[in-house]
Amino acid sequence: MTAGAPGPVDESDGRGGLRAALSGLTTRGRSFLAAGAAATVCAYVLGQDDLLRVGLLLAVLPLVCVTVLYRTRYRVAGSRRLSPSRVPAGSEARVHLRMDNVSRLHTGLLMLQDRVPYVLGPRPRFVLDRVEPGGVREVSYRVRSDLRGRYPLGPLQLQLSDPFGMCELTRSFSAYDTLVVVPRTEPLPALRPAGEVSGYGDGRQRSPALAGEDDLIPRGYRHGDDLRRVHWRSTARHGELMVRREEQPQRASCTVLLDTRRIAYQGAGPGSAFEWAVSGAASALVHMLERGFAVRLLTDEGSAVPGEGADGFAGSSQGSADSAGLMMDALAVVGHSDGGGLSRAYDVLRGSGEGLLVAFLGDLDEEQAAVVARMRQRSRGAVAFVLDGDDRAHGPEAAPPLRLLREAGWTVVTVPPGAELARLWQQAGHEGSGARSSAAGTTTGL
């Protein structure tokens, strides 16, 4: 980010600009002006010429400083660099500021100040000595937030001061940057989620290009293709050699469902149940992307991220880092929804293909549990982490909804306050493996 220097007010600003410059008088400058005016009046009354000279000197000095500072034109370029620009909650980022004097004049004493939200810490201020023509000054400061979100940094402000400290003028740059504080993630064990297909290690499975021979779309012959793959019917139709497509690798898919309903959670703040669910969803997304899955983030309102590719999943052309960045940016600003149900998310899942479903859910009643249970129909495997701030997820009131999920084929893990996701993830894998062993007589692991 580079911005031109906030130079002094142009002469065309007239009285308005001069009035703004006079408002920049410091306490010292106002004191000198008042003392000069008082001495001038006393000299006139008493007829003392020497006192009149002193009074005029005291009154004129701050006015001269204002005029000189007002008409001085510095050309200063400022830049800001964030390292890094996306940080987990509770981690620090360093902000590097650079000031370049691009004019042919020495600058005076400069005070550099950057605007930051209060949650990132105190507002940083730096005093820069005279900067020579073409000179560069670099300073840096650290910011930290325990609350996820998007925080604007800037604009930069320069405070110009005269050598006598009579006047201070503030000029602002126009550009700013954004620091994204994403949820904290927890490394998860490399286990096979319940019901997932084999080949979990790379998240890919082999599938034919199309459903059957009649639906096959051949491609043109390329040098080196096996002649046994020539599709003669298409060759006769197109008048050139056409060959059958080979089986294409298809990425296994995973949907991470985050329940954001306000009525489903109790408490607020970094240690609340909702923040645990957001952090858990972020950890699951990163873990599944690292395992080679095509992943998407889905909320109870039916909005999916990244929203590109088939069924809204991250397409094969997108790198895992880009996909993770999009979803982490969405989680950085996700908040409570005012909706009371999960039907919109069910509609999205009903129209998508089979895949793994990992859900982070708040408090469920029987009606919403029935909606969640139906989500299992088109999923190869489904794992639900059910949490609530006041422990109702572990009491007898929550037994019927959780039982309904288990009967529908969900692997349900209740989340006590402050639990570690890695341990619960491993527990879900063991429970899913045991369920498959009972149903099929074999264990494929989680």
Side-chain angles (χ1 to χ4, degrees):
M1 179 275 296
T2 302
V9 181
D10 193 13
E11 293 179 9
S12 61
D13 291 342
R15 294 182 179 179
L18 186 59
R19 189 181 299 113
L22 289 174
S23 66
L25 282 171
T26 62
T27 302
R28 179 184 299 178
R30 295 176 188 274
S31 300
F32 268 66
L33 190 61
T40 302
V41 172
C42 292
Y44 178 77
V45 173
L46 300 177
Q48 297 291 329
D49 294 339
D50 294 337
L51 183 59
L52 178 61
R53 296 188 187 94
V54 173
L56 291 176
L57 177 63
L58 293 176
V60 169
L61 180 60
L63 296 179
V64 171
C65 291
V66 168
T67 303
V68 172
L69 192 63
Y70 170 72
R71 296 184 62 85
T72 301
R73 297 184 179 274
Y74 298 130
R75 294 184 59 201
V76 182
S79 63
R80 182 190 299 106
R81 178 172 57 87
L82 303 181
S83 178
S85 60
R86 183 188 291 116
V87 295
S91 300
E92 290 185 345
R94 183 168 288 275
V95 183
H96 301 269
L97 303 178
R98 173 176 171 145
M99 302 299 299
D100 296 83
N101 183 10
V102 297
S103 66
R104 298 181 179 179
L105 301 175
H106 283 80
T107 69
L109 189 67
L110 301 178
M111 177 177 286
L112 183 63
Q113 177 177 276
D114 203 8
R115 289 186 178 182
V116 300
Y118 71 94
V119 296
L120 297 182
R123 181 171 294 183
R125 293 181 175 90
F126 304 93
V127 177
L128 304 180
D129 203 354
R130 295 180 54 178
V131 183
E132 66 279 4
V136 176
R137 297 292 186 273
E138 294 185 357
V139 293
S140 65
Y141 64 93
R142 294 178 295 178
V143 291
R144 179 182 181 275
S145 175
D146 292 326
L147 300 175
R148 55 187 176 80
R150 295 174 61 90
Y151 300 103
L153 299 178
L156 280 171
Q157 289 183 330
L158 278 179
Q159 193 174 73
L160 311 178
S161 178
D162 66 281
F164 300 102
M166 298 290 180
C167 181
E168 293 178 349
L169 296 182
T170 301
R171 298 289 184 260
S172 295
F173 290 77
S174 59
Y176 65 92
D177 290 318
T178 301
L179 175 68
V180 181
V181 180
V182 300
R184 284 188 291 263
T185 58
E186 186 176 344
L188 303 179
L191 304 174
R192 182 178 302 165
E196 185 52 45
V197 295
S198 60
Y200 171 73
D202 59 359
R204 286 176 170 81
Q205 55 184 336
R206 304 292 295 185
S207 64
L210 290 171
E213 184 73 18
D214 293 338
D215 296 326
L216 182 66
I217 299 180
R219 62 170 174 82
Y221 176 82
R222 298 171 185 169
H223 180 71
D225 285 337
D226 191 345
L227 292 178
R228 290 175 295 182
R229 292 173 46 218
V230 173
H231 193 261
W232 297 108
R233 185 182 303 174
S234 298
T235 298
R237 183 183 304 117
H238 292 85
E240 60 176 331
L241 281 178
M242 306 293 290
V243 297
R244 297 181 180 88
R245 292 175 182 246
E246 294 179 343
E247 290 185 344
Q248 302 294 325
Q250 181 181 8
R251 299 182 73 187
S253 61
C254 174
T255 298
V256 177
L257 172 63
L258 176 62
D259 182 7
T260 65
R261 297 171 299 143
R262 188 182 303 274
I263 62 175
Y265 298 94
Q266 301 293 326
S272 64
F274 178 68
E275 292 300 325
W276 192 99
V278 174
S279 179
S283 301
L285 288 169
V286 173
H287 175 74
M288 300 308 290
L289 281 172
E290 290 176 350
R291 303 299 293 175
F293 279 72
V295 183
R296 68 175 172 182
L297 171 67
L298 180 65
T299 66
D300 57 290
E301 294 186 312
S303 56
V305 181
E308 299 179 0
D311 298 327
F313 290 92
S316 58
S317 61
Q318 290 180 283
S320 296
D322 295 337
S323 301
L326 288 172
M327 289 180 280
M328 295 298 283
D329 288 348
L331 288 175
V333 297
V334 68
H336 286 294
S337 67
D338 295 326
L342 297 160
S343 57
R344 292 183 179 178
Y346 169 69
D347 292 338
V348 174
L349 291 170
R350 183 175 57 180
S352 62
E354 295 182 352
L356 175 65
L357 176 59
V358 180
F360 292 85
L361 306 171
D363 187 34
L364 294 174
D365 55 24
E366 293 193 29
E367 179 182 356
Q368 297 307 315
V371 176
V372 176
R374 291 197 297 270
M375 297 178 183
R376 176 67 177 85
Q377 296 174 359
R378 293 183 60 85
S379 300
R380 290 182 178 271
V383 182
F385 297 91
V386 183
L387 38 35
D388 186 73
D390 58 0
D391 290 339
R392 282 181 291 175
H394 310 280
E397 295 180 1
L402 299 188
R403 188 185 308 116
L404 185 60
L405 296 185
R406 291 190 175 97
E407 292 175 351
W410 281 82
T411 299
V412 180
V413 179
T414 56
V415 181
E420 295 182 0
L421 178 59
R423 181 178 60 82
L424 299 178
W425 187 269
Q426 193 168 14
Q427 177 185 341
H430 293 161
E431 292 183 5
S433 298
R436 287 191 301 272
S437 298
S438 302
T442 57
T443 302
T444 55
L446 181 138

